[in-house]
Amino acid sequence: MAFQKPTGTQDLLPGVVEKWQYVEEKARDLCRRFNYREIRTPIFEQTSLFVRGVGETTDIVEKEMYTFDDKGNRSMTLRPEGTAGVVRAYVENKLYGEPDVSKLYYIGPMFRYERPQAGRQRQFHQFGVEALGAVDPAIDAEVIALGYQLCVELGLKDVKVEINSVGNAKSRAEYRETLLGFLRPMKDSLCKDCQSRMERNPLRVLDCKVDQDKFVGAPSILDSLDEESLNHFAKLQAYLDDFGVDYAVNNRLVRGLDYYTLTAFELKAQGIGAIDTVGGGGRYNGLVGDIGGPDQPGIGFGIGLERIQLILEHQNIEVTTLAPLDVYFVALGEAADREVNRLLFKLRQSGLSGERDYLGRKMKAQMKSADRFKARYTAILGDDELERGEIALKAMDTGEQQTVKLDDLVAAVRGNQ
């Protein structure tokens, strides 16, 4: 072939894309019930937004961003995650002026240049929520519960949440010195990324996938939390207990982004080997101010839709991929063919679904098409039926056939729904 899809991308074809729609519809319905409203932001933003919003010491900024200069010599980047763009929109459009907490959600593609593997693509898709304007741990628990509930309602097995507190600025500064005291003696034995990050952001060192075995005895950040951070974390756990969310505390969980404060969490489900993390997030109380807005707190998460699809398949969870067609029309004769066109359009106008043959095939082949589309009815019209103003309506599940007036066809189909 002359052209193929770029490495790390995929074509979502009919028969597969319906599985994605199923997950997206579940997510949208859950957001409706939790009173989160959709927001759509640009796929590309100024590079500096992600450098500042995601963090200079993250893998995303250091290695993975798709960055380019536009024709005005401005540095632009395809969005690698959703939060920074949502917070930029929150600030630019002054949503902080609204009297209530801004509860927002997004669904869309993200872009990171990394080695493609199962559940990890260069163009990938996320569903995420952001709640801006409240520091109450009750909103932390709500955000976590929303993500947890989505996994449960999709039928994923062994859904669990891991939570941690990365503290406020004061307690994190104290922990930074404690952690550096642990890390510095082993600096020369750590990977190059850990060595470069150690002085800039030592918490990120704990997120390293190469040297995890060396951090077994690392001090826990929970031992450095001040009273404010401890109270916030205790209340969060109490709310999650009230909700019945299955969670565990993981004091090594720091997540891969620089902006987290207090709450950090990951959503997990029974996956394929190490692929069990569906998504994650946390609180980012300083991010709005960092990108030029007023000092407003926020919390959110992102869930990878590729990961969801992979786990659904691995766990053999059946997803409805094709809604049955209401009526498949079979026309026998030129005059009947034109009338079928009119009836089909009328049916679709009424809100029902329908299809017909466009390839000039015999009746037997058309009936096979009706089976492939899982049609509830076939409506068969020949010249004789047309003269009488009638059409034969056959129920495909029972084989029962009736004759109805042409103008009564829609009502007859609706009456048997």
Side-chain angles (χ1 to χ4, degrees):
M1 283 187 61
F3 300 102
Q4 294 182 323
K5 63 183 180 295
T7 300
T9 65
Q10 56 183 328
D11 298 315
L12 300 177
L13 304 178
V16 172
V17 77
E18 289 84 359
K19 297 179 180 180
W20 286 68
Q21 292 169 348
Y22 173 82
V23 173
E24 291 164 7
E25 287 165 9
K26 283 278 189 183
R28 291 181 190 280
D29 180 63
L30 203 58
C31 286
R32 177 190 60 81
R33 285 144 54 191
F34 277 67
N35 196 33
Y36 284 71
R37 298 176 297 165
E38 185 176 7
I39 185 170
R40 302 187 186 190
T41 62
I43 285 179
F44 63 94
E45 302 260 11
Q46 295 177 53
T47 301
S48 56
L49 171 67
F50 299 116
V51 172
R52 180 171 291 186
V54 176
E56 292 183 45
T57 64
T58 62
D59 284 345
I60 294 173
V61 169
E62 289 185 335
K63 304 175 183 178
E64 299 170 1
M65 294 204 308
Y66 275 94
T67 297
F68 60 95
D69 288 340
D70 67 10
K71 291 185 177 181
N73 291 320
R74 294 170 290 250
S75 181
M76 296 290 173
T77 294
L78 299 180
R79 64 186 183 195
E81 56 91 52
T83 300
V86 170
V87 172
R88 190 268 313 146
Y90 173 79
V91 172
E92 184 175 348
N93 296 283
K94 297 182 172 58
L95 298 185
Y96 51 80
E98 295 180 352
D100 299 306
V101 174
S102 291
K103 296 168 63 173
L104 308 167
Y105 79 90
Y106 59 85
I107 299 176
M110 311 291 164
F111 305 85
R112 296 183 193 175
Y113 189 88
E114 53 187 343
R115 184 171 64 86
Q117 52 188 294
R120 193 183 295 272
Q121 300 290 328
R122 290 178 178 174
Q123 176 177 313
F124 60 100
H125 301 78
Q126 281 190 342
F127 158 65
V129 307
E130 314 291 347
L132 297 119
V135 74
D136 190 334
I139 197 74
D140 299 40
E142 177 182 281
V143 165
I144 293 171
L146 193 160
Y148 176 83
Q149 190 64 22
L150 175 63
C151 295
V152 169
E153 292 191 13
L154 287 171
L156 303 188
K157 300 180 182 73
D158 296 330
V159 180
K160 292 181 175 61
V161 180
E162 290 187 357
I163 63 172
N164 192 24
S165 175
V166 294
N168 56 21
K170 177 183 175 184
S171 56
R172 199 161 52 254
E174 179 182 326
Y175 177 64
R176 183 181 188 279
E177 294 308 312
T178 303
L179 182 59
L180 280 172
F182 171 81
L183 293 174
R184 279 173 179 147
M186 64 176 74
K187 181 176 181 179
D188 292 341
S189 68
L190 299 179
C191 72
K192 290 182 179 179
D193 286 340
C194 287
Q195 291 180 25
S196 68
R197 290 171 181 166
M198 187 178 296
E199 300 299 331
R200 293 184 293 161
N201 190 349
L203 269 73
R204 286 283 294 112
V205 174
L206 296 181
D207 201 42
C208 176
K209 302 299 185 287
V210 177
D211 291 322
Q212 276 298 309
D213 59 321
K214 298 173 183 175
F215 306 143
V216 174
S220 169
I221 192 169
L222 298 179
D223 294 332
S224 296
L225 297 184
D226 60 10
E227 185 175 358
E228 176 192 26
S229 300
L230 283 170
N231 286 340
H232 189 279
F233 197 44
K235 288 179 180 179
L236 168 64
Q237 293 175 72
Y239 287 129
L240 293 177
D241 289 336
D242 291 343
F243 295 160
V245 170
D246 187 359
Y247 73 91
V249 175
N250 176 0
N251 62 20
R252 297 269 293 282
L253 177 64
V254 296
R255 297 288 297 156
L257 306 176
D258 280 358
Y259 51 57
Y260 287 122
T261 58
L262 297 172
T263 304
F265 64 94
E266 287 187 345
L267 296 155
K268 295 179 176 290
Q270 184 187 85
I272 303 172
I275 302 175
D276 62 353
T277 300
V278 177
R283 179 166 280 284
Y284 44 85
N285 287 353
L287 182 57
V288 177
D290 283 347
I291 66 170
D295 187 18
Q296 289 286 321
I299 182 168
F301 68 69
I303 287 179
L305 298 186
E306 279 81 2
R307 290 288 179 92
I308 290 279
Q309 294 296 334
L310 198 64
I311 294 174
L312 284 171
E313 182 179 354
H314 177 67
Q315 296 185 356
N316 296 315
I317 297 170
E318 289 293 327
V319 173
T320 302
T321 60
L322 185 63
L325 204 63
D326 289 313
V327 182
Y328 189 93
F329 286 89
V330 176
L332 305 173
E334 189 173 332
D337 185 82
R338 181 170 179 181
E339 179 61 17
V340 155
N341 251 4
R342 185 187 73 84
L343 290 171
L344 176 57
F345 188 68
K346 183 179 178 183
L347 183 92
R348 290 166 171 169
Q349 281 182 312
S350 76
L352 297 171
S353 60
E355 188 55 281
R356 56 153 293 172
D357 177 64
Y358 292 100
L359 300 175
R361 293 177 294 187
K362 301 291 186 183
M363 181 175 177
K364 185 177 180 181
Q366 293 186 49
M367 295 299 286
K368 286 183 178 179
S369 282
D371 282 332
R372 284 194 297 273
F373 286 117
K374 297 182 171 60
R376 293 170 52 228
Y377 294 96
T378 52
I380 306 167
L381 185 65
D383 289 340
D384 291 343
E385 290 87 359
L386 182 58
E387 268 190 40
R388 296 194 301 269
E390 297 174 341
I391 191 168
L393 188 64
K394 180 181 179 180
M396 296 296 282
D397 55 350
T398 65
E400 182 181 344
Q401 187 165 310
Q402 59 179 310
T403 300
V404 299
K405 294 292 184 183
L406 293 178
D407 290 341
D408 295 338
L409 175 64
V410 170
V413 174
R414 282 202 177 282
N416 290 295
Q417 278 186 319

